[in-house]
Amino acid sequence: MSLPFTRRSFLRGMLSGSAVCIGLPTLDWFLNDNGTAFADGTKLPVRFGTYFWGLGLTDTPTGGTRWVPSKTGRGYEVMPELEPLAAVKEKVSVFSGFRVIGDGRPNLVHWSGHAAILSGIAPAASGRFDAPSLDTRVADAIGTGTRFKVLDIDASMSRLPVSYSTRTGYTFSTPETTPLALYTRLFGAGFQDPNSDNWQPDPSIRLRQSVLSAVKDQRQALMAGVSKADQTKLDQYFTSVREMENQLAIQLQKPDKCESCVPPAAPKELPRSASVDAVRANTKALAKLLAMGLACNQTRVFNFVHTAGTSETYIAGQSKIYHQITHDEPTDAKLGYQPETSKLAGLVMQAFGDFLMELDAIKEGAGTLLDHSLIFAFSDTGYAKIHAIENIPMFLAGGAGGRHKAGQHIHVTGESVTRVSLTAQQLVGAPVGEFGSGSMKTARPISEVVA
Amino acid sequence: LLRKKSRWLSRWVSFAFLCAFAIAATPRARTFEPVTGENQAIKVGVRRITESQYRHTIVDIFGPQIKINARFEPERREDGLLAIGNAQLSLTASGFEQYFALASSIADQVLSEKQRAVSVGCKPANLNDADDSCARQLIESYGERLFRRPLTESEILARLKTAAIGAKQSGDFYAGLKLALTSLLVAPEFLFRVETAEPNPTNPKQYRLDGYTKAARLSFLLWDTAPDRELLDAAKSGAIHTEAGLKQQINRMVTSPRFEDGVRAFFTDMLQFDGLENLVKDPMIYPKFSQSISDSAKEQTLRTIIALLVRDKRDYRDLFTANETFINRPLAAVYRIPFASSSEWAAYTFPQSSGRSGILTQIGFLSLFSHPGTSSPTKRGIKVLEIFMCQPTPDPPANVDFSRVQDSTKGTVRGRLLDHMQTVGCAGCHRLTDPPGLALEHFDGLGQLRTMENGSRIDVNGELNGVKCEGAQGLGKLLHDNPEVPTCLVRKVYAYGVGRKTEDQDERYIAEQTRMFAGSGYRLPDLMAQIALSPEFFKVVFPGGTRPRHSNPATKRAPLQKSGGKFK
């Protein structure tokens, strides 16, 4: 018996035939018979990552925009602060005009913006989220087949490690902050070269599994009689134990060959400094390792922090930090913007350009690693001088394995940032039909960028 | 009233969110009913142990030769203390991975060929096979220290099984034992402090913390580590529930050399010195700065505190005025004083002419609360108020135009801040936070003495809550004499010990403790002992979802129910 329409025709009709976009999970039905590629022939796997930088980009109330292109759709013009992305422009979509809607909650400076983008709710208090960050949902959907379900990286050289990835809203991930630490995690003990011809399962892995069984055996006794809040904490603990078990189980399987995987040599430690140059160098070195970690199939989901919300980076020799400059520097009446702040924003975008270029440098099949990835990049503010949570700059970079119609500028004034968050999750196949709460709840992805 | 209402509302809203979210976040989690029925113990708190508690515990149990080389999960500060924020924390997957690797490395070291004779009190019948009776000895003995209570039979059996599987698979008894020890070290019962309340035998309608929970509270407050054998014995025998037994333990602990570890841990948290671990400065502006400076600065302030408050038992308030301290060679270079000693640290007293006054004017505080390239009177002022006077400053308003604030290459910071103080929306807070910070302006972003900035003489007139002062020494004197300063310390020691912030109903207690603190001449060891001895320190506070119908009258959070004998 045959269906009245084929799988291919259904996909064609749904994904590109009309403007209607349906928030559906990547069902097996979308895949070809052996699950290695989408039905339209696009290769798996698709990787997903968030990329965060602090202090927004320059778009002043007096009209001095340095990043919002005037043209929408394809062929948008390269604005001054986006200059460093010019080389990969066709792989980057720019989103402008979106905002955080607090529903009466205060604008918690350098916090509400990215918290809302990631969790879908403007949080009640600084330092925590009121819902899990979206990367955890994506990781649950596409990250369980690799050694690391999700990898957190912080290049910012801040005093305290910066991570915005959370399942409980209180506990945030521990990021890798130096190239050597990231190298050790990815390619140190426990790494199995997927292209090695004499692979043998490591017998010590089974022994480590038995360590975890003893812990898990006691779960019920421990959970008895604890409060709801404590139950949440312990649930997160046991989720972490399960992820470790999964990691060990994966290491017992012979890894699939990865053409592009060339394990790197151990990097040198960089000097610890928060100057703009040092943080950019750290970003580039970490991006290079991360890209190879993705190519070697060690993880499919990551979170990358370039600078913190209140970025403490500085230009060497200058006494003020970037964050201070955004507030203190007067707007140049002639230019209509703050020249020093805009220069610093341009440097931040250079680091983002470096980051994307590292992913684009790795060839995979007919394209590059970037073509098989989706990077959701965003900041905490729009115009940092006034802590605006309107017009927060957001980007989707990479082809998402052919699903992202990249290279567009989407401008919608006043709509919720969560529409872009939802789009990002759906583009990589997370089973998320709607996202966000209150006025930011949405079931409408940006259909223009969905192939 | 409105404020109170909105506070309750916001609490309720966040609670509701958390609950909804707990369910949403863990789709596969089973629903666990709270224990029902009377005479059952209930768990009133689950708090992750801190990095420093972890380190101290391992050294206490396994010896100082054990190397702990790991990156710990970030901690979280709430209401000024990590001890409060950490009570909310769990463990992420990446964090668990770290603890797992660390646990294996500790187990390897403890049971290395060289060490195993010392670590294990028995020998296996066969080196190449499992031996339940010898393995049980180790699991029971180390398990009790790590879990801070005796293990249940089922906890022991689970580890015996692990040890046996390991021994059989690898043909090595000790390899199996390592796995069993590793599993104790990654267990939630070790990594989290599980606090338990039980019906009080003298009044079964009331609850009290069980003996082991009390022992752990004492030990983590006074020693920053897990209870030792003697304390566990006092919990087992019930002596800890008697006034005499409790007093005896507290006296023993406060007079032990380990008390210094407890005081160091408390002040590291209160002074927010965890921030010194990754402090960065612009080397072009502060070429003398390095990680060794920031490590030394932390050590300097902690040594000063221990000498003044613990060894010499001086008045707590002297911390703001006393200039006796310790320096090492790297610090001497920053302070621009000669260092002639052949030992690593030497006692040193700053002369009056140095302009310095107590711990506020040491490099630790001054460099931590500054920017990478400048000092920051605002940051310093905020921290003086928050750390020593328990006066938090609200977040800055979002929509503020800072355009008045001008170039930092001209004039002194005072002029630039005056702009803030004249801007509506900023003035409210900056008028409070900046004046104490301005009094410290003779010290740059690294804590080096200076009198000029950009060619202008620095004016160090300051103010603390409306009272005028001049320079750091004037500010130190004001803090010394301010009655809010000792009250704030009492509040912080209590909050630190019980892992929650103080609330309105604690005010009478705080006031009473402050009176006693004053009566003791503001001696810190007396304060910590009197708090540990007070019934409030062991007060049972039922979190949502575990509330029994009969509960202590002292527990205001859970209103009493009149009837019924079951947990709700």
Short mmCIF file of all heavy atoms in Angstrom, two decimals, chain A residues 105 107 127 132 159 167-168 171 174-176 185 207 218 221-222 224 227 232-233 236-237 240 243 317 327-328 386-387, chain B residues 14 17 21-22 43 46 71 73 76 87 90-93 97 154 169 186 188 278 282 368 370 372 398 402 405 544:
data_model
loop_
_atom_site.label_atom_id
_atom_site.label_comp_id
_atom_site.label_asym_id
_atom_site.label_seq_id
_atom_site.Cartn_x
_atom_site.Cartn_y
_atom_site.Cartn_z
N ARG A 105 8.15 42.94 34.87
CA ARG A 105 9.39 42.65 35.59
C ARG A 105 10.43 43.72 35.25
O ARG A 105 10.44 44.24 34.14
CB ARG A 105 9.92 41.28 35.19
CG ARG A 105 9.03 40.19 35.75
CD ARG A 105 9.88 39.08 36.25
NE ARG A 105 9.11 38.17 37.06
CZ ARG A 105 9.29 36.85 37.05
NH1 ARG A 105 10.17 36.32 36.24
NH2 ARG A 105 8.59 36.10 37.84
N ASN A 107 13.93 45.64 34.25
CA ASN A 107 15.06 45.38 33.37
C ASN A 107 16.29 45.23 34.26
O ASN A 107 16.85 46.21 34.74
CB ASN A 107 15.24 46.55 32.40
CG ASN A 107 16.51 46.43 31.56
OD1 ASN A 107 17.27 45.48 31.70
ND2 ASN A 107 16.74 47.42 30.71
N GLY A 127 21.17 36.96 38.29
CA GLY A 127 21.97 35.82 38.72
C GLY A 127 21.27 34.50 38.57
O GLY A 127 21.84 33.46 38.84
N PRO A 132 14.84 26.69 32.29
CA PRO A 132 16.13 26.20 31.78
C PRO A 132 16.57 26.96 30.53
O PRO A 132 15.72 27.49 29.80
CB PRO A 132 15.85 24.74 31.42
CG PRO A 132 14.54 24.40 31.99
CD PRO A 132 13.79 25.67 32.20
N ARG A 159 36.77 37.46 36.17
CA ARG A 159 37.20 37.02 37.50
C ARG A 159 36.57 35.69 37.87
O ARG A 159 37.20 34.83 38.45
CB ARG A 159 36.75 38.03 38.54
CG ARG A 159 37.61 39.24 38.53
CD ARG A 159 37.11 40.17 39.58
NE ARG A 159 37.37 41.52 39.11
CZ ARG A 159 37.36 42.56 39.89
NH1 ARG A 159 37.08 42.43 41.16
NH2 ARG A 159 37.61 43.75 39.41
N ARG A 167 20.01 24.10 33.90
CA ARG A 167 18.79 23.29 33.90
C ARG A 167 17.86 23.68 35.04
O ARG A 167 16.67 23.57 34.95
CB ARG A 167 19.14 21.80 34.04
CG ARG A 167 19.60 21.18 32.75
CD ARG A 167 19.95 19.71 32.87
NE ARG A 167 20.54 19.29 31.61
CZ ARG A 167 19.83 18.85 30.58
NH1 ARG A 167 18.51 18.74 30.65
NH2 ARG A 167 20.42 18.51 29.45
N THR A 168 18.45 24.11 36.15
CA THR A 168 17.62 24.40 37.33
C THR A 168 17.32 25.89 37.46
O THR A 168 16.46 26.27 38.23
CB THR A 168 18.36 23.99 38.61
OG1 THR A 168 19.57 24.76 38.71
CG2 THR A 168 18.70 22.52 38.62
N THR A 171 21.83 26.66 39.15
CA THR A 171 23.16 26.10 38.94
C THR A 171 23.54 26.24 37.48
O THR A 171 22.85 25.73 36.60
CB THR A 171 23.17 24.60 39.31
OG1 THR A 171 22.55 24.45 40.58
CG2 THR A 171 24.57 24.07 39.38
N THR A 174 29.89 24.57 34.45
CA THR A 174 31.29 24.96 34.64
C THR A 174 31.94 25.04 33.27
O THR A 174 32.09 24.02 32.61
CB THR A 174 32.05 23.88 35.44
OG1 THR A 174 31.27 23.55 36.56
CG2 THR A 174 33.40 24.39 35.87
N PRO A 175 32.32 26.21 32.81
CA PRO A 175 32.91 26.29 31.48
C PRO A 175 34.42 26.03 31.48
O PRO A 175 35.08 26.19 32.50
CB PRO A 175 32.65 27.74 31.08
CG PRO A 175 32.65 28.48 32.39
CD PRO A 175 32.15 27.52 33.44
N GLU A 176 34.94 25.62 30.33
CA GLU A 176 36.38 25.57 30.14
C GLU A 176 36.81 26.98 29.80
O GLU A 176 36.17 27.65 28.99
CB GLU A 176 36.74 24.64 28.98
CG GLU A 176 36.21 23.22 29.11
CD GLU A 176 36.68 22.54 30.38
OE1 GLU A 176 37.76 22.86 30.87
OE2 GLU A 176 35.93 21.68 30.88
N ARG A 185 40.19 18.30 28.06
CA ARG A 185 38.85 17.71 28.16
C ARG A 185 38.49 16.97 26.88
O ARG A 185 37.97 15.86 26.92
CB ARG A 185 37.85 18.84 28.43
CG ARG A 185 36.44 18.38 28.69
CD ARG A 185 35.98 18.73 30.09
NE ARG A 185 34.64 18.22 30.37
CZ ARG A 185 33.54 18.93 30.16
NH1 ARG A 185 33.63 20.17 29.70
NH2 ARG A 185 32.36 18.41 30.42
N LEU A 207 34.46 -0.78 34.68
CA LEU A 207 34.67 -0.65 36.12
C LEU A 207 34.10 0.69 36.61
O LEU A 207 33.47 0.77 37.66
CB LEU A 207 36.16 -0.74 36.45
CG LEU A 207 36.81 -2.08 36.09
CD1 LEU A 207 38.29 -2.07 36.43
CD2 LEU A 207 36.12 -3.23 36.83
N GLN A 218 21.17 4.17 45.48
CA GLN A 218 20.69 4.83 46.70
C GLN A 218 19.73 5.97 46.43
O GLN A 218 19.31 6.67 47.33
CB GLN A 218 21.89 5.38 47.49
CG GLN A 218 22.93 4.33 47.83
CD GLN A 218 22.32 3.16 48.57
OE1 GLN A 218 21.55 3.35 49.51
NE2 GLN A 218 22.60 1.95 48.12
N ALA A 221 16.25 6.07 48.35
CA ALA A 221 16.38 6.32 49.79
C ALA A 221 16.71 7.79 50.03
O ALA A 221 16.19 8.43 50.94
CB ALA A 221 17.48 5.44 50.37
N LEU A 222 17.56 8.34 49.18
CA LEU A 222 17.98 9.72 49.35
C LEU A 222 16.84 10.69 49.09
O LEU A 222 16.67 11.70 49.76
CB LEU A 222 19.15 10.02 48.41
CG LEU A 222 19.74 11.41 48.50
CD1 LEU A 222 20.41 11.62 49.85
CD2 LEU A 222 20.74 11.66 47.39
N ALA A 224 13.70 10.23 49.44
CA ALA A 224 12.54 10.13 50.32
C ALA A 224 12.53 11.29 51.31
O ALA A 224 13.53 11.55 51.98
CB ALA A 224 12.58 8.80 51.07
N SER A 227 12.34 18.13 50.28
CA SER A 227 11.42 19.16 49.80
C SER A 227 11.49 19.25 48.28
O SER A 227 12.40 18.71 47.65
CB SER A 227 11.80 20.50 50.41
OG SER A 227 13.02 20.94 49.84
N THR A 232 14.63 19.13 43.22
CA THR A 232 15.15 19.70 41.97
C THR A 232 16.67 19.58 41.93
O THR A 232 17.24 19.19 40.92
CB THR A 232 14.76 21.18 41.86
OG1 THR A 232 13.36 21.29 42.05
CG2 THR A 232 15.14 21.76 40.51
N LYS A 233 17.30 19.91 43.05
CA LYS A 233 18.77 19.84 43.10
C LYS A 233 19.23 18.40 42.88
O LYS A 233 20.16 18.15 42.12
CB LYS A 233 19.26 20.28 44.48
CG LYS A 233 19.24 21.75 44.70
CD LYS A 233 19.74 22.05 46.12
CE LYS A 233 18.83 23.05 46.79
NZ LYS A 233 19.04 23.14 48.23
N GLN A 236 18.80 17.16 39.34
CA GLN A 236 19.88 17.65 38.48
C GLN A 236 21.14 16.82 38.69
O GLN A 236 21.83 16.45 37.76
CB GLN A 236 20.14 19.13 38.76
CG GLN A 236 21.54 19.60 38.40
CD GLN A 236 21.72 20.01 36.96
OE1 GLN A 236 21.25 21.07 36.54
NE2 GLN A 236 22.39 19.19 36.17
N TYR A 237 21.42 16.48 39.96
CA TYR A 237 22.59 15.65 40.26
C TYR A 237 22.47 14.31 39.52
O TYR A 237 23.42 13.88 38.85
CB TYR A 237 22.71 15.43 41.77
CG TYR A 237 23.72 14.37 42.13
CD1 TYR A 237 25.06 14.70 42.33
CD2 TYR A 237 23.35 13.03 42.21
CE1 TYR A 237 25.99 13.72 42.62
CE2 TYR A 237 24.28 12.04 42.50
CZ TYR A 237 25.60 12.39 42.71
OH TYR A 237 26.52 11.42 42.98
N SER A 240 23.05 14.48 35.91
CA SER A 240 24.49 14.54 35.62
C SER A 240 25.11 13.14 35.68
O SER A 240 25.97 12.82 34.87
CB SER A 240 25.20 15.45 36.62
OG SER A 240 24.64 16.74 36.58
N GLU A 243 24.27 11.41 32.52
CA GLU A 243 25.08 11.88 31.39
C GLU A 243 26.46 11.24 31.42
O GLU A 243 27.03 10.91 30.39
CB GLU A 243 25.18 13.41 31.41
CG GLU A 243 23.88 14.02 30.90
CD GLU A 243 23.94 15.53 30.74
OE1 GLU A 243 25.04 16.06 30.48
OE2 GLU A 243 22.89 16.16 30.87
N GLY A 317 46.55 49.67 28.31
CA GLY A 317 47.03 51.01 28.63
C GLY A 317 45.93 52.01 28.89
O GLY A 317 46.18 53.09 29.42
N HIS A 327 29.03 53.46 29.06
CA HIS A 327 28.19 54.37 29.82
C HIS A 327 28.73 55.80 29.82
O HIS A 327 27.98 56.76 29.72
CB HIS A 327 28.05 53.89 31.26
CG HIS A 327 27.27 52.60 31.38
ND1 HIS A 327 26.07 52.42 30.73
CD2 HIS A 327 27.52 51.46 32.05
CE1 HIS A 327 25.61 51.20 31.01
NE2 HIS A 327 26.47 50.60 31.79
N ASP A 328 30.03 55.92 29.96
CA ASP A 328 30.61 57.25 30.18
C ASP A 328 30.84 58.04 28.90
O ASP A 328 30.80 59.28 28.91
CB ASP A 328 31.96 57.12 30.92
CG ASP A 328 31.77 56.64 32.35
OD1 ASP A 328 30.61 56.45 32.76
OD2 ASP A 328 32.78 56.44 33.04
N ILE A 386 22.38 52.83 27.50
CA ILE A 386 21.17 52.96 28.31
C ILE A 386 20.58 51.59 28.68
O ILE A 386 19.42 51.47 29.05
CB ILE A 386 20.10 53.81 27.57
CG1 ILE A 386 19.83 53.22 26.18
CG2 ILE A 386 20.52 55.26 27.49
CD1 ILE A 386 18.60 53.78 25.51
N HIS A 387 21.40 50.56 28.62
CA HIS A 387 20.96 49.21 28.98
C HIS A 387 19.67 48.81 28.24
O HIS A 387 18.78 48.20 28.83
CB HIS A 387 20.67 49.10 30.49
CG HIS A 387 21.88 49.30 31.35
ND1 HIS A 387 21.95 50.27 32.31
CD2 HIS A 387 23.06 48.64 31.41
CE1 HIS A 387 23.13 50.21 32.93
NE2 HIS A 387 23.81 49.23 32.39
N SER B 14 8.34 33.21 42.63
CA SER B 14 9.52 32.45 42.25
C SER B 14 9.40 31.00 42.69
O SER B 14 9.86 30.10 42.00
CB SER B 14 10.80 33.09 42.80
OG SER B 14 10.57 33.67 44.03
N PHE B 17 7.26 29.32 40.16
CA PHE B 17 8.03 29.09 38.94
C PHE B 17 8.96 27.90 39.09
O PHE B 17 9.05 27.04 38.24
CB PHE B 17 8.91 30.32 38.64
CG PHE B 17 8.25 31.26 37.68
CD1 PHE B 17 7.89 32.53 38.09
CD2 PHE B 17 8.00 30.88 36.37
CE1 PHE B 17 7.30 33.40 37.21
CE2 PHE B 17 7.40 31.74 35.50
CZ PHE B 17 7.03 33.01 35.92
N PHE B 21 8.84 24.46 37.14
CA PHE B 21 9.98 24.27 36.31
C PHE B 21 10.70 22.99 36.70
O PHE B 21 11.18 22.24 35.88
CB PHE B 21 10.73 25.58 36.49
CG PHE B 21 12.14 25.58 36.16
CD1 PHE B 21 12.61 24.83 35.13
CD2 PHE B 21 12.98 26.37 36.90
CE1 PHE B 21 13.94 24.86 34.83
CE2 PHE B 21 14.30 26.41 36.59
CZ PHE B 21 14.78 25.64 35.58
N ALA B 22 10.63 22.67 38.01
CA ALA B 22 11.23 21.42 38.45
C ALA B 22 10.55 20.25 37.77
O ALA B 22 11.18 19.28 37.36
CB ALA B 22 11.09 21.28 39.96
N LYS B 43 14.02 15.31 55.78
CA LYS B 43 15.22 16.05 55.34
C LYS B 43 14.86 17.51 55.15
O LYS B 43 13.99 17.84 54.35
CB LYS B 43 15.75 15.43 54.05
CG LYS B 43 16.37 14.08 54.33
CD LYS B 43 16.44 13.19 53.12
CE LYS B 43 16.82 11.78 53.56
NZ LYS B 43 16.45 10.77 52.60
N VAL B 46 19.37 20.38 51.74
CA VAL B 46 20.39 19.71 50.94
C VAL B 46 21.29 20.81 50.41
O VAL B 46 20.86 21.63 49.61
CB VAL B 46 19.75 18.94 49.76
CG1 VAL B 46 20.83 18.37 48.85
CG2 VAL B 46 18.85 17.81 50.26
N ARG B 71 39.29 21.39 39.09
CA ARG B 71 38.56 22.65 38.96
C ARG B 71 37.18 22.36 39.52
O ARG B 71 36.51 21.43 39.12
CB ARG B 71 38.45 22.96 37.48
CG ARG B 71 38.02 24.32 37.11
CD ARG B 71 38.21 24.47 35.61
NE ARG B 71 37.79 23.25 34.91
CZ ARG B 71 36.61 23.11 34.36
NH1 ARG B 71 35.72 24.05 34.40
NH2 ARG B 71 36.28 21.98 33.75
N GLU B 73 33.15 23.27 40.60
CA GLU B 73 32.03 24.02 40.02
C GLU B 73 31.98 25.41 40.64
O GLU B 73 32.27 25.57 41.83
CB GLU B 73 30.71 23.31 40.35
CG GLU B 73 30.47 22.10 39.51
CD GLU B 73 29.24 22.22 38.63
OE1 GLU B 73 28.11 22.11 39.13
OE2 GLU B 73 29.43 22.41 37.42
N ARG B 76 28.15 30.32 44.24
CA ARG B 76 27.21 31.39 43.91
C ARG B 76 26.96 32.21 45.17
O ARG B 76 26.68 31.67 46.23
CB ARG B 76 25.92 30.69 43.46
CG ARG B 76 24.75 31.55 43.25
CD ARG B 76 23.52 30.66 43.17
NE ARG B 76 22.35 31.48 43.37
CZ ARG B 76 21.79 32.19 42.41
NH1 ARG B 76 22.23 32.11 41.20
NH2 ARG B 76 20.76 32.97 42.68
N ALA B 87 23.57 27.03 48.98
CA ALA B 87 22.49 26.18 49.46
C ALA B 87 21.47 25.93 48.34
O ALA B 87 20.66 25.02 48.43
CB ALA B 87 21.82 26.82 50.67
N SER B 90 23.11 22.82 42.70
CA SER B 90 23.21 21.39 42.44
C SER B 90 24.55 21.15 41.76
O SER B 90 25.50 21.91 41.95
CB SER B 90 22.04 20.95 41.59
OG SER B 90 22.13 19.56 41.41
N LEU B 91 24.60 20.12 40.95
CA LEU B 91 25.84 19.76 40.27
C LEU B 91 25.52 19.53 38.81
O LEU B 91 24.65 18.74 38.49
CB LEU B 91 26.34 18.46 40.91
CG LEU B 91 27.82 18.18 40.90
CD1 LEU B 91 28.57 19.29 41.60
CD2 LEU B 91 28.07 16.88 41.63
N THR B 92 26.22 20.24 37.91
CA THR B 92 25.97 20.05 36.49
C THR B 92 26.78 18.86 35.98
O THR B 92 27.66 18.35 36.67
CB THR B 92 26.38 21.29 35.68
OG1 THR B 92 27.80 21.43 35.77
CG2 THR B 92 25.70 22.54 36.22
N ALA B 93 26.49 18.46 34.74
CA ALA B 93 27.18 17.30 34.17
C ALA B 93 28.68 17.55 34.09
O ALA B 93 29.48 16.67 34.42
CB ALA B 93 26.61 16.99 32.79
N GLU B 97 31.59 15.45 36.11
CA GLU B 97 32.74 14.84 35.44
C GLU B 97 34.03 15.16 36.20
O GLU B 97 34.88 14.31 36.39
CB GLU B 97 32.80 15.47 34.05
CG GLU B 97 33.26 14.56 32.95
CD GLU B 97 33.29 15.35 31.65
OE1 GLU B 97 32.20 15.74 31.17
OE2 GLU B 97 34.39 15.59 31.14
N SER B 154 22.25 -0.85 53.31
CA SER B 154 22.10 -0.90 51.85
C SER B 154 23.18 -0.05 51.15
O SER B 154 23.66 -0.40 50.07
CB SER B 154 20.67 -0.49 51.48
OG SER B 154 20.67 0.57 50.58
N GLN B 169 36.88 -8.53 38.14
CA GLN B 169 37.19 -8.19 36.73
C GLN B 169 38.67 -7.91 36.53
O GLN B 169 39.22 -8.21 35.49
CB GLN B 169 36.37 -6.99 36.29
CG GLN B 169 34.98 -7.39 35.81
CD GLN B 169 34.23 -6.23 35.20
OE1 GLN B 169 34.83 -5.23 34.80
NE2 GLN B 169 32.92 -6.35 35.14
N VAL B 186 31.95 10.25 45.11
CA VAL B 186 31.08 10.97 44.16
C VAL B 186 29.62 10.92 44.60
O VAL B 186 28.74 11.44 43.91
CB VAL B 186 31.19 10.43 42.71
CG1 VAL B 186 32.57 10.66 42.16
CG2 VAL B 186 30.79 8.97 42.62
N PRO B 188 26.08 11.65 46.33
CA PRO B 188 25.44 12.90 46.75
C PRO B 188 25.48 13.07 48.27
O PRO B 188 25.51 14.18 48.76
CB PRO B 188 24.00 12.75 46.26
CG PRO B 188 23.81 11.31 45.94
CD PRO B 188 25.16 10.75 45.63
N ASN B 278 41.01 34.99 40.41
CA ASN B 278 41.16 35.23 38.98
C ASN B 278 41.24 36.71 38.66
O ASN B 278 40.83 37.15 37.60
CB ASN B 278 39.99 34.62 38.21
CG ASN B 278 40.02 33.12 38.26
OD1 ASN B 278 41.01 32.52 37.88
ND2 ASN B 278 38.96 32.53 38.76
N ASP B 282 45.49 45.49 34.23
CA ASP B 282 46.20 45.84 33.00
C ASP B 282 47.68 45.99 33.32
O ASP B 282 48.07 46.88 34.07
CB ASP B 282 45.63 47.16 32.47
CG ASP B 282 46.26 47.54 31.13
OD1 ASP B 282 47.25 46.89 30.74
OD2 ASP B 282 45.76 48.48 30.49
N LEU B 368 40.80 44.21 44.78
CA LEU B 368 39.64 43.42 44.37
C LEU B 368 38.49 44.33 43.95
O LEU B 368 37.83 44.07 42.94
CB LEU B 368 39.22 42.51 45.53
CG LEU B 368 37.99 41.64 45.31
CD1 LEU B 368 38.17 40.74 44.08
CD2 LEU B 368 37.73 40.76 46.53
N SER B 370 38.20 47.23 42.50
CA SER B 370 38.68 48.26 41.59
C SER B 370 38.50 47.73 40.18
O SER B 370 38.15 46.57 40.00
CB SER B 370 40.18 48.50 41.81
OG SER B 370 40.41 49.16 43.02
N PRO B 372 40.28 47.00 36.24
CA PRO B 372 41.62 46.55 35.84
C PRO B 372 42.61 47.70 35.67
O PRO B 372 43.80 47.51 35.85
CB PRO B 372 41.38 45.86 34.49
CG PRO B 372 39.95 45.46 34.51
CD PRO B 372 39.24 46.50 35.31
N ALA B 398 18.09 50.88 34.86
CA ALA B 398 18.50 50.52 33.51
C ALA B 398 18.65 51.75 32.61
O ALA B 398 19.63 51.92 31.92
CB ALA B 398 17.48 49.57 32.92
N PHE B 402 24.50 58.52 31.06
CA PHE B 402 25.73 58.84 31.77
C PHE B 402 26.52 59.96 31.06
O PHE B 402 27.68 60.16 31.33
CB PHE B 402 26.63 57.61 31.84
CG PHE B 402 26.06 56.49 32.67
CD1 PHE B 402 25.09 55.64 32.15
CD2 PHE B 402 26.52 56.27 33.95
CE1 PHE B 402 24.60 54.60 32.91
CE2 PHE B 402 26.02 55.22 34.71
CZ PHE B 402 25.06 54.39 34.19
N VAL B 405 29.17 62.22 32.51
CA VAL B 405 30.43 61.71 33.00
C VAL B 405 31.47 61.81 31.90
O VAL B 405 31.26 61.35 30.78
CB VAL B 405 30.27 60.25 33.45
CG1 VAL B 405 31.56 59.75 34.06
CG2 VAL B 405 29.14 60.14 34.46
N GLY B 544 9.36 23.97 51.87
CA GLY B 544 8.07 23.59 51.31
C GLY B 544 8.03 22.11 50.96
O GLY B 544 8.99 21.55 50.45
#
